[in-house]
Amino acid sequence: MLNPGTKLGPYEIVAPLGAGGMGEVYRARDTRLDRNVAIKVLPAQVTYDAERRERFEREAKAISALNHPHICTLHDIGREGDTDFLVMELVEGQTLAARLEKGPLPSDQVLRLGLEISDALDKAHRLGIIHRDLKPGNIMLTPRNGAKLLDFGLAKPVVTPNSAATAMLTASKPLTKEGTIVGTFQYMAPEQLEGTEADARSDFFAFGAVLYEAATGKKAFEGKTTASVIAAVLASEPAPMSSLQPLTPPAFERVVNTCLAKDPDERFQSAHDLNLQLRWIADAGTQAGVPAPVASHRKNRERTAWVIAAVLGLTTITAIIVAMVRAPKPVQPAASVRLNAELGTDATLSDTTYGASAILSLDGTRLAFVAVGADKTRRLYVRSLDQMQATVLPGTEGARDPFFSPDSQWIAFFAQSKLKKISVQGGPVVTLCDALDDRGGSWGDDGSIVFAAGGLEGLSKVSSAGGKPEPLTSLNQQTGELTHRWPQVLPGSKDVIFTASTSIVQFDDADIAVYSTFSGKPKTVLHGGSYARYLPSGHLVYLRDGTLFAVPFDIKRLDVTGQPAPVVEGVASNPDNGGAQFSFSDSGTLLYVAGSAINADVSTYWMDAAGKFTPLRETPGNYNNLAISPDGKRLAMDITNGNRIDIWVYEWERDTLTRLTFAGDSNIRPIWTPDGQRIVYGSAEKGAMANLWWIRADGGGDAQRLTEGKERQVPGSWSPDGKVFALFQNNPGTSWDIMTMPVEGSEKTGWKPGQPKPFVNTSATEVYPAFSPDGRWIAYYSNESGPGEIYVRPFPGPGGKWQVSTGGGVMPEWSRNGKELFYRTNDSKIMVVSYTSSGDSFHADKPRLWSPSQFTDRSVMKNFSLHPDGKRFAVLKAGKGDTTPPPINKASFIFNFFDELRRKVPAGK
């Protein structure tokens, strides 16, 4: 026990508030900020167990980010001598446990409690944080601010069951591992008692037990001994709430019973859905006290669906469900039915960072998905929903972003920088055309395919029989558009919905646009999302921040007719490229991969020719466009933080990271001057077109503008003498071209950049210029021959042209030794080419793999940089501290989804 006046760092103990098995709590005073706080002194097993302290500190960092009116805020953690402590918001009031000693809460207070705590859980679960010990003693009732959830995920008792799993549980463990139990018995989910890992659904079980107790005054699971309590949770059902409180609304009892389901898959799958159900009950008022007209039908339908799932063991969707999918719609809208199902193969879903990896055929009879098997190779699988197993389609190695033909008999996909197709029955793979770095496609009912061949261009169109693609849309240079992607051809094949963006790293703020062949021009119909799809229900659905939104859409007027509303939480998506994991059938079924917006964080590593990775900066971040300084001691990069992208410099010997840019919101691709004094970067400061700027590398002085024009420009490379700068520019009529710009002056006399002039400007895309060490050559990327390759031309020219790479390549980098040229493959491996030159002649040997290792793909961003010693690269790679999603072998189905949309988002006028 600490005495009043005791100091723990800057905090002075005032008085004790309580004590228990998990520590002592005190009222304290923060002497720095002059505010009252609560101090929780942690028990000895945390203080003296290094492994547990590591977990505690890791979780504390995550939980400190929680900012919600119904979650007690964690302000600080500290250590004074041998005492570890938490500093929390001081919450005045009484615990729910203390209040329930007087009896159950009134029904309106129970609903309010449910809404507030479920909203708090939703906030935490979105951040990947679960409570693990939700109980009345961890809920504080305050006079003014409603309920507050305490002790979120920290310092929980961990106990291990004995072989009988029914003896007294007293052994402590430092981490939550398989085979250990965390929590309080009456509120612990069955899976926790059985020793498996808790997830968000375990919180819902505990929450159901809390609501049951708050409404009835009785615990849902009781017993005279620990063993009998555990047995009750595992095998017994609580007494019906209506038998204890006759006025309990049936709808509310159904919510609680769903929370208390023994099988986690039968509970609510997201706190948001749980909150919506409670909100509906609250809004319905007394009407929630009687069964709705379709309650019996809905109850039977839900029971049928879950019986089916139980019979299948969540491993297959049989002909029974297919019959449900194909069944004609009743006159009265049917209730939606949700279930999770395994894919029907030992492979796991792959490449969920782009377009949908699992898709439904439009007729609702087949599932196609891209997965990785035991040989680590990505292939296309197809499965009829009336069969138990999926079938691999040979010849589809490397597949991604599949989509069905309108008759559901073919599947188009992208692989090896090509657009291809294959019959759903298997057979030969047909190559249709080149597609360097796709961003999705769609098959129209007129036999044409609209697709995005790359990440920095408009949409193209090609016959489904194959041929030469034709441009369909052009980027709007006046608005600074950088990309059109993720198209969907609308019925009739006259119009196309797609995602347009002025950023290539943040698509939550992208535009949803529609291209009409009648007008020949795109128009924006919605702002703030990506991956839009038109549904036969008369809605557009799209993703933003891991949530599927819907808005009424008039397909004749090609315009929205109402306000967007969220309809499905927890859909896997990638805000960095706009991709999303959902699909639908015309029969009204939605298929999606559960998850969240993908964490784009990576770490920086050294990679050598042997394939060994050595940490450079393991702290995860959304890093891109690496550039090592000429002296080999600093690493420049752009870092995305929220909606901002800024240039930073990392000095690894001092482990310091310095931010250089503060103006504008999109500062990208740093390039060092040859003397290492300055960094050139691209920026759209002050609302202007993205041109070139530079700034001192030590952060001194203000940024200065190097170019000013109407065309978008991206930095490329300096000549060794620092007198010429190469860039690539998006020119009208010729797309991206290589330009060179003279730069005269000095630090003393000032600098005078000249006018950029074309170096390579054909109808093809030419980007990523790189000067050779002697300044005589420029290597660059071009797709003039179809697949993008690396070429070399003499500078300043004229002269010949030599293709260096074979099989595709991007982003060339020269070694200082004057003998080697490196480049990156499309799957993020490093190739090297030995070369010789004489006069105006250049000779390149056959490319060879420099290192067997692969690093993290960052699309069109530069994810590697060669050190001046020529023996190692700085690369971006998911590290041990990064959030790596677990293998995915399940998909989620919502049947009768269109009827649900019509109820939730009625069509506008």
Side-chain angles (χ1 to χ4, degrees):
M1 182 71 69
L2 300 179
N3 296 319
T6 301
K7 288 288 189 70
L8 296 178
Y11 307 103
E12 182 177 354
I13 299 298
V14 175
L17 292 175
M22 290 318 299
E24 301 163 347
V25 183
Y26 299 85
R27 178 189 294 269
R29 190 72 177 168
D30 186 339
T31 58
R32 297 170 305 179
L33 301 178
D34 193 30
R35 66 176 174 183
N36 293 321
V37 295
I39 296 283
K40 183 172 185 177
V41 177
L42 299 178
Q45 61 261 39
V46 173
T47 299
Y48 296 113
D49 191 311
E51 190 176 15
R52 188 164 183 179
R53 286 190 68 243
E54 180 182 0
R55 185 190 99 178
F56 160 70
E57 292 173 359
R58 182 173 67 248
E59 292 186 350
K61 291 178 182 178
I63 294 166
S64 65
L66 286 175
N67 184 11
H68 190 277
H70 300 297
I71 296 177
C72 178
T73 303
L74 176 65
H75 292 313
D76 195 8
I77 62 174
R79 184 177 177 87
E80 184 73 20
D82 293 330
T83 302
D84 285 288
F85 59 93
L86 304 173
V87 183
M88 302 172 291
E89 173 188 4
L90 181 63
V91 180
E92 304 281 2
Q94 67 177 157
T95 65
L96 176 60
R99 167 60 183 83
L100 290 178
E101 292 177 359
K102 303 176 183 179
L105 299 178
S107 58
D108 60 334
Q109 293 183 27
V110 175
L111 274 175
R112 179 184 174 187
L113 171 74
L115 286 168
E116 292 172 347
I117 299 302
S118 62
D119 196 45
L121 289 174
D122 184 33
K123 172 69 172 181
H125 290 174
R126 287 170 183 261
L127 296 177
I129 302 170
I130 57 176
H131 194 285
R132 298 177 296 179
D133 195 19
L134 185 57
K135 58 185 178 182
N138 280 335
I139 297 175
M140 185 71 77
L141 304 179
T142 69
R144 296 182 179 180
N145 300 317
K148 285 271 191 178
L149 194 50
L150 312 178
D151 279 4
F152 217 113
L154 285 174
K156 297 298 179 289
V158 185
V159 288
T160 304
N162 62 13
S163 58
T166 57
M168 292 300 293
L169 307 176
T170 58
S172 295
K173 292 287 182 180
L175 294 175
T176 307
K177 298 178 180 177
E178 185 174 353
T180 65
I181 296 177
V182 182
T184 305
F185 304 134
Q186 284 92 346
Y187 309 95
M188 290 171 67
E191 64 269 22
Q192 291 175 279
L193 290 172
E194 292 170 348
T196 58
E197 184 69 18
D199 63 15
R201 297 170 300 179
S202 305
D203 277 353
F204 301 154
F205 186 95
F207 185 58
V210 169
L211 290 180
Y212 183 100
E213 188 174 348
T216 66
K218 302 289 185 181
K219 287 182 171 59
F221 305 99
E222 294 187 291
K224 295 181 179 180
T225 66
T226 299
S228 61
V229 172
I230 293 175
V233 173
L234 291 176
S236 301
E237 298 294 339
M241 296 177 66
S242 55
S243 68
L244 301 173
Q245 286 285 4
L247 296 181
T248 300
F252 180 77
E253 187 166 6
R254 284 198 296 273
V255 167
V256 174
N257 288 340
T258 301
C259 289
L260 292 175
K262 306 297 185 188
D263 188 338
D265 287 334
E266 293 183 12
R267 299 175 204 146
F268 291 98
Q269 299 300 297
S270 78
H272 180 74
D273 287 344
L274 172 55
N275 183 266
L276 288 178
Q277 291 293 321
L278 292 172
R279 192 168 300 282
W280 176 84
I281 295 170
D283 292 342
T286 57
Q287 295 180 7
V290 297
V294 296
S296 176
H297 169 73
R298 175 176 182 174
K299 185 175 181 180
N300 290 336
R301 192 178 189 90
E302 290 178 343
R303 183 182 296 114
T304 300
W306 290 116
V307 167
I308 291 170
V311 170
L312 300 176
L314 293 180
T315 60
T316 183
I317 304 173
T318 64
I320 299 174
I321 297 179
V322 173
M324 182 192 300
V325 177
R326 295 174 175 173
K329 296 177 183 176
V331 175
Q332 187 173 15
S336 61
V337 179
R338 303 177 184 230
L339 61 84
N340 296 331
E342 293 188 0
L343 298 172
T345 180
D346 291 335
T348 59
L349 281 183
S350 170
D351 219 9
T352 55
T353 59
Y354 284 88
S357 292
I359 58 172
L360 278 174
S361 60
L362 293 180
D363 63 9
T365 64
R366 287 185 175 87
L367 170 69
F369 56 93
V370 177
V372 172
D375 63 354
K376 307 298 182 183
T377 299
R378 193 168 68 232
R379 293 184 178 89
L380 193 61
Y381 293 72
V382 66
R383 173 181 164 190
S384 178
L385 293 186
D386 59 2
Q387 296 178 358
M388 295 182 64
Q389 293 296 319
T391 302
V392 66
L393 297 180
T396 60
E397 288 78 9
R400 80 176 188 190
D401 296 341
F403 51 97
F404 275 100
S405 62
D407 62 4
S408 302
Q409 297 305 303
W410 290 84
I411 304 172
F413 63 97
F414 299 90
Q416 290 86 43
S417 298
K418 306 283 185 182
L419 172 61
K420 304 181 178 184
K421 70 176 182 179
I422 188 172
S423 168
V424 294
Q425 306 297 334
V429 174
V430 180
T431 297
L432 303 180
C433 65
D434 295 319
L436 172 67
D437 189 22
D438 85 278
R439 295 297 183 272
S442 177
W443 198 319
D445 49 27
D446 66 348
S448 64
I449 292 177
V450 175
F451 67 104
L456 289 169
E457 53 194 85
L459 302 177
S460 298
K461 186 175 183 178
V462 70
S463 169
S464 58
K468 183 178 180 180
E470 298 179 355
L472 182 68
T473 66
S474 299
L475 301 178
N476 188 333
Q477 296 187 357
Q478 291 183 342
T479 61
E481 280 184 347
L482 281 179
T483 182
H484 292 168
R485 56 182 63 190
W486 312 125
Q488 180 203 17
V489 181
L490 297 181
S493 299
K494 300 296 182 183
D495 311 300
V496 180
I497 291 284
F498 63 95
T499 301
S501 179
T502 57
S503 170
I504 55 174
V505 295
Q506 177 52 260
F507 283 82
D508 275 349
D509 292 324
D511 291 326
I512 307 302
V514 59
Y515 172 85
S516 171
T517 56
F518 177 77
S519 66
K521 297 180 180 180
K523 74 169 183 177
T524 299
V525 296
L526 202 65
H527 175 73
S530 66
Y531 211 85
R533 293 294 182 263
Y534 173 77
L535 306 187
S537 62
H539 295 84
L540 278 186
V541 292
Y542 62 95
L543 257 291
R544 179 180 174 86
D545 192 26
T547 297
L548 189 68
F549 284 80
V551 62
F553 186 79
D554 188 327
I555 196 170
K556 294 182 179 179
R557 292 167 44 201
L558 299 178
D559 210 348
V560 299
T561 59
Q563 293 299 315
V567 290
V568 181
E569 295 279 342
V571 179
S573 59
N574 187 349
D576 278 358
N577 62 29
Q581 299 298 312
F582 75 92
S583 173
F584 67 93
S585 71
D586 283 344
S587 54
T589 300
L590 177 74
L591 166 72
Y592 70 96
V593 176
S596 59
I598 290 176
N599 185 355
D601 288 356
V602 289
S603 299
T604 56
Y605 288 84
W606 292 118
M607 184 182 78
D608 63 21
K612 180 182 178 181
F613 290 101
T614 304
L616 174 56
R617 186 174 195 267
E618 283 192 287
T619 304
N622 193 345
Y623 309 137
N624 283 298
N625 294 314
L626 302 183
I628 296 178
S629 61
D631 62 6
K633 297 181 179 181
R634 294 164 291 172
L635 178 68
M637 55 189 147
D638 54 64
I639 302 179
T640 301
N641 185 4
N643 291 326
R644 286 193 58 83
I645 311 174
D646 286 296
I647 306 299
W648 296 69
V649 171
Y650 177 62
E651 189 173 350
W652 52 82
E653 289 184 356
R654 297 173 51 228
D655 192 25
T656 58
L657 185 66
T658 304
R659 179 178 170 183
L660 296 186
T661 58
F662 296 88
D665 58 9
S666 183
N667 307 290
I668 65 167
R669 198 173 167 82
I671 303 293
W672 294 88
T673 55
D675 60 7
Q677 296 298 308
R678 290 177 175 268
I679 290 177
V680 179
Y681 60 97
S683 178
E685 294 188 13
K686 301 178 182 179
M689 180 59 68
N691 294 148
L692 303 186
W693 294 68
W694 69 353
I695 193 169
R696 288 185 57 87
D698 60 8
D702 296 328
Q704 297 175 325
R705 193 166 193 157
L706 287 178
T707 63
E708 186 170 358
K710 299 179 180 180
E711 288 74 40
R712 182 172 296 274
Q713 298 166 330
V714 180
S717 174
W718 280 100
S719 63
D721 58 10
K723 294 182 178 181
V724 179
F725 188 72
L727 60 134
F728 46 111
Q729 178 174 298
N730 194 10
N731 290 320
T734 58
S735 185
W736 288 95
D737 298 323
I738 305 296
M739 313 287 286
T740 58
M741 177 182 70
V743 180
E744 299 177 352
S746 67
E747 291 292 338
K748 293 183 178 181
T749 62
W751 299 97
K752 183 180 180 182
Q755 187 69 25
K757 297 180 179 180
F759 178 71
V760 185
N761 63 326
T762 70
S763 58
T765 294
E766 295 102 7
V767 290
Y768 308 126
F771 271 103
S772 64
D774 58 10
R776 295 172 52 204
W777 311 95
I778 291 182
Y780 63 96
Y781 161 96
S782 174
N783 63 359
E784 64 180 63
S785 61
E789 303 286 0
I790 301 299
Y791 295 85
V792 171
R793 288 178 181 258
F795 178 80
K801 176 185 64 178
W802 294 267
Q803 180 177 326
V804 172
S805 63
T806 58
V810 294
M811 302 178 186
E813 284 222 20
W814 301 84
S815 172
R816 286 189 180 182
N817 64 15
K819 298 178 181 180
E820 294 174 319
L821 175 60
F822 298 88
Y823 62 89
R824 195 199 76 188
T825 64
N826 292 327
D827 61 351
S828 288
K829 291 185 178 180
I830 299 293
M831 302 292 290
V832 62
V833 176
S834 297
Y835 70 89
T836 58
S837 62
S838 177
D840 294 333
S841 178
F842 186 90
H843 173 76
D845 292 342
K846 183 179 179 179
R848 65 185 188 277
L849 188 65
W850 180 76
S851 172
S853 291
Q854 183 179 32
F855 40 101
T856 301
D857 177 38
R858 303 298 272 182
S859 185
V860 296
M861 273 75 77
K862 195 166 182 289
N863 53 353
F864 69 104
S865 180
L866 179 64
H867 191 273
D869 64 14
K871 298 179 180 180
R872 52 182 172 158
F873 281 86
V875 300
L876 297 175
K877 177 179 171 293
K880 65 180 182 180
D882 303 331
T883 302
T884 301
I888 301 173
N889 56 13
K890 289 185 179 181
S892 300
F893 291 79
I894 303 180
F895 301 103
N896 304 315
F897 179 67
F898 293 176
D899 288 330
E900 180 176 320
L901 274 184
R902 294 184 182 104
R903 286 192 297 269
K904 289 184 174 181
V905 192
K909 301 296 184 182

